């Protein structure tokens, strides 16, 4: 079984401040972890993924995420938030290496609101 | 590349009617996923295909829902008969399937309203 928890429904941050969106996961095996962003009335857009290797993963739009195996976490971060970062963010996981099951399990989403 | 294409973008129908949602995946992708998004239940996987073959349909709510992928460039999700509780945004996503770990690319979604 695999699951993802995003403990915060909403995160508020001032423009220019660092932001963190939290994600914890549970899988029976090695995790493959993803972050997606959804803007209003749009589909989800891929931001970044962790497969193996360096625990700090860099992605699109200046976002990065840190994989922490002991805490089973994969928090999304950005050093300086922009108002345009305001959106809904989803963490997702699937077990790896390949077991034939390619589907992702998504978290419930966290709404990021960046105030000017 | 045009990305994942879904049609229609909006569908309003009356309870009991048949609804067909369509998806064209990114050319060259061989995995296709159908999701449903609601405020109450979030993003749910309904079914996915690898090389046009359904792999896991355990997320399909009930027999009123069916999905097909007759070829690598087209898939449909059909609801017959539709009910008000089927109102949601339905997303199609595609990815590569093979060596490596590939992200999914989502279409813009179809907003379904059943009255």
């Amino acid at each position: 079984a695999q699951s993802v928890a995003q403990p915060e429904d909403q995160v508020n941050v001032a423009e220019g401040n660092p932001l963190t969106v939290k994600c914890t996961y549970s899988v029976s095996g090695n995790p493959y972890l993803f972050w997606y962003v959804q803007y209003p009335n749009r589909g989800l857009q891929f931001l970044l993924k962790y497969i193996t290797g360096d625990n700090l993963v860099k992605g699109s739009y200046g976002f990065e995420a840190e994989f922490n195996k002991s805490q089973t976490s994969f928090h999304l971060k950005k050093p300086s938030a922009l108002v345009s970062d305001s959106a809904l963010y989803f963490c997702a996981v699937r077990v790896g290496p390949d077991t034939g099951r390619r589907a992702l399990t998504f978290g419930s989403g966290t709404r990021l609101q960046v105030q000017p | 590349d045009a990305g994942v294409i879904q049609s229609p973008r909006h569908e309003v129908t009356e309870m009991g009617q048949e609804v067909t949602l369509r998806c064209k995946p990114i050319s060259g992708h061989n995995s296709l996923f159908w999701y449903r998004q609601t405020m109450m239940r979030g993003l749910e996987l309904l079914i996915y295909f690898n090389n046009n073959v359904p792999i896991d349909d355990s997320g399909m709510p009930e027999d009123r829902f069916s999905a097909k992928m007759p070829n690598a460039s087209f898939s449909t999700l059909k609801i017959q008969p539709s009910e008000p509780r089927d109102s949601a945004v339905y997303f199609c996503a595609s990815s590569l399937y093979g060596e490596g770990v590939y992200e999914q690319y989502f279409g813009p979604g179809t907003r379904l309203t059943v009255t």
Side-chain angles (χ1 to χ4, degrees):
Chain A
Q2 53 193 42
S3 65
V4 174
Q6 294 183 242
E8 302 155 315
D9 290 337
Q10 181 157 326
V11 170
N12 297 309
V13 64
E15 188 174 32
N17 283 0
L19 69 87
T20 299
V21 182
K22 296 179 180 177
C23 171
T24 58
Y25 66 88
S26 174
V27 295
S28 302
N30 294 321
Y32 292 161
L33 294 153
F34 301 77
W35 275 103
Y36 285 80
V37 60
Q38 184 179 29
Y39 297 100
N41 301 313
R42 303 284 296 275
L44 278 69
Q45 296 178 30
F46 170 75
L47 277 180
L48 51 80
K49 64 184 177 186
Y50 171 83
I51 306 303
T52 187
D54 195 347
N55 290 342
L56 186 63
V57 178
K58 295 188 182 297
S60 306
Y61 312 121
F63 283 93
E64 58 190 27
E66 187 169 10
F67 172 65
N68 187 317
K69 188 173 183 178
S70 63
Q71 297 185 6
T72 62
S73 66
F74 189 57
H75 300 332
L76 182 70
K77 301 181 179 183
K78 187 173 182 181
S80 179
L82 300 172
V83 173
S84 57
D85 293 330
S86 300
L88 189 58
Y89 290 81
F90 290 93
C91 182
V93 68
R94 76 166 176 90
V95 66
D98 181 58
T99 61
R101 177 169 175 77
R102 298 287 178 138
L104 295 176
T105 297
F106 284 85
S108 55
T110 297
R111 186 165 301 281
L112 174 66
Q113 193 69 41
V114 182
Q115 284 107 15
Chain B
D1 196 319
V4 176
I5 299 172
Q6 292 187 246
S7 64
R9 293 293 309 277
H10 302 273
E11 177 80 33
V12 180
T13 191
E14 293 183 346
M15 182 174 61
Q17 296 299 306
E18 177 180 298
V19 175
T20 299
L21 311 182
R22 297 172 176 80
C23 175
K24 177 178 169 56
I26 292 173
S27 178
H29 283 187
N30 49 10
S31 282
L32 184 139
F33 306 80
W34 281 102
Y35 293 90
R36 179 173 67 176
Q37 186 178 37
T38 62
M39 289 293 292
M40 291 296 294
R41 301 175 66 90
L43 195 62
E44 304 173 276
L45 175 68
L46 300 177
I47 185 171
Y48 76 98
F49 298 82
N50 284 343
N51 294 319
N52 310 338
V53 176
I55 302 301
D56 184 353
D57 65 354
S58 60
M60 296 286 262
E62 48 198 275
D63 292 345
R64 298 185 297 107
F65 286 69
S66 62
K68 293 182 180 179
M69 193 165 186
N71 57 62
S73 59
F74 184 65
S75 177
T76 59
L77 178 68
K78 184 178 293 186
I79 308 172
Q80 167 62 22
S82 58
E83 298 182 1
R85 59 189 169 130
D86 301 330
S87 297
V89 181
Y90 291 80
F91 289 104
C92 175
S94 71
S95 74
L96 287 171
Y97 169 68
E99 292 298 319
V101 181
Y102 304 101
E103 55 272 19
Q104 296 176 22
Y105 291 82
F106 282 73
T110 295
R111 183 175 296 276
L112 174 65
T113 303
V114 183
T115 60

